[in-house]
Amino acid sequence: MIEARRLHILRAVADHRTVTAAAAALYLTPSAVSQQLAALEQETGHRLVERSARGVRLTAAGDILLTHANAVLAQLERAESELAAYGSGEAGTVTVAAFATGIGLVVAPALTALARTAPGIRVRVQDAEGDASLLMVLDRQVDVAVAVEYRGAPGADDPRLTRVPLYAEPFDAVLPPGHRLAETPQVALAELAGDPWIGPYPGNPCHDVVVLACEYAGFQPRLEHTSDDFRAVVALASAAAGVALVPRSALRDMDLTGVVVRPVDEVAPTRRVFAAVRRGAEEHPLFRPVLAALREAAASQG
């Protein structure tokens, strides 16, 4: 009989692409992960993974088993949700991973609302970039992720996750005050093709939004300065180090006296934010109020 915990290990290896990374995410040793994979191969009678210098990939048999693993693990999440509901589930701890702006915009207001509507639920918040938080949910390090759409992000039909749309916001152009386009009411990205750029590091979902928007405008941005802290990005723009695209909510409550902020002409690049839980866990009596509070906090921003 196949053990469910070994299916979870198989999925972690598929997600992280190396035994070492999967082991770290699961708080196991690499040898323990390898032993569990070997036991799973013995249980199924098939070779499930192939190792190479670049990491680990699933075999065809491994892909077949992973499809069933996603369904089995989702069903187990549903079972836990129903059992928790049966036991009332009115009190407990929920861990939420979210990026910094999302914490300020929706997570903190959701906590305020939950203190009134569900005082038995204690929420613990972890700061995590929008791409990292999804793996944290899948690895059961946290319960809920507030994440951002990015190139390669799990889609709405991903069998491992249930997604709840929260909000979408445009990116605005941030220019030095003496910039040649500082007096224009809107900025066409194509006109910034020759400028030095300031932006997030590769791997940050906002990096993908910026690069894709520039590529759509017909050029590759020349990123000369990198920071995942938008306050640092604005500070560099104020020092005439370059131009940038910054999510509109990240500019709230900042001192913008040293820069010029303009909307982007035509179709503005957009950051789409959603909450995610492991598929099957969306009806858990602890998670459901948290997801509802996040939705309401996002709607109140509209």
Side-chain angles (χ1 to χ4, degrees):
M1 181 178 293
I2 298 173
E3 291 190 19
R5 65 191 177 98
R6 289 176 181 153
L7 295 179
H8 183 57
I9 288 172
L10 179 71
R11 185 161 79 177
V13 170
D15 288 338
H16 292 277
R17 306 297 178 94
T18 71
V19 168
T20 301
L26 298 174
Y27 301 103
L28 297 172
T29 63
S31 62
V33 169
S34 296
Q35 289 169 9
Q36 292 298 318
L37 287 176
L40 186 58
E41 290 180 330
Q42 186 173 6
E43 287 173 344
T44 60
H46 292 279
R47 186 180 180 189
L48 302 174
V49 297
E50 291 181 346
R51 292 172 173 80
S52 69
R54 291 186 292 180
V56 176
R57 71 178 185 87
L58 299 191
T59 64
D63 284 332
I64 291 172
L65 184 58
L66 180 62
T67 299
H68 291 284
N70 288 330
V72 168
L73 294 173
Q75 191 61 38
L76 287 174
E77 292 285 353
R78 294 186 187 98
E80 289 184 11
S81 298
E82 290 187 18
L83 287 170
Y86 178 76
S88 79
E90 294 180 355
T93 300
V94 178
T95 306
V96 178
F99 57 99
T101 309
I103 291 173
L105 198 63
V106 295
V107 177
L111 264 61
T112 301
L114 285 167
R116 298 191 310 270
T117 61
I121 297 178
R122 175 173 175 256
V123 179
R124 295 177 58 234
V125 180
Q126 295 185 24
D127 190 332
E129 288 300 335
D131 54 339
S133 60
L134 295 177
L135 279 177
M136 293 170 72
V137 166
L138 290 171
D139 293 333
R140 303 182 72 92
Q141 296 175 11
V142 300
D143 303 309
V144 181
V146 175
V148 179
E149 285 283 5
Y150 60 95
R151 187 162 24 191
D157 59 348
D158 191 289
R160 302 168 298 169
L161 296 166
T162 294
R163 298 179 13 158
V164 177
L166 294 179
Y167 64 91
E169 62 172 327
F171 281 59
D172 289 327
V174 178
L175 313 173
H179 193 274
R180 64 187 182 282
L181 301 178
E183 301 302 322
T184 61
Q186 294 182 315
V187 172
L189 288 184
E191 296 188 42
L192 300 176
D195 287 83
W197 279 73
I198 313 157
Y201 283 97
N204 185 315
C206 289
H207 174 88
D208 283 350
V209 174
V210 171
V211 171
L212 286 172
C214 292
E215 288 176 353
Y216 185 77
F219 69 98
Q220 187 76 23
R222 178 163 50 91
L223 280 167
E224 292 198 357
H225 310 281
T226 49
S227 174
D228 288 336
D229 183 336
F230 288 119
R231 291 185 183 276
V233 170
V234 169
L236 287 168
S238 71
V243 299
L245 289 173
V246 176
R248 188 165 291 171
S249 67
L251 295 171
R252 295 182 184 179
D253 303 322
M254 273 198 207
D255 180 4
L256 302 175
T257 54
V259 294
V260 174
V261 178
R262 293 289 181 265
V264 174
D265 194 13
E266 298 178 347
V267 180
T270 301
R271 173 161 73 172
R272 290 177 171 82
V273 179
F274 59 93
V277 296
R278 293 178 295 277
R279 186 161 294 236
E282 60 273 9
E283 291 303 319
H284 192 289
L286 291 178
F287 303 166
R288 188 173 59 245
V290 173
L291 292 173
L294 290 170
R295 278 196 304 267
E296 291 169 9
S300 70
Q301 301 296 325

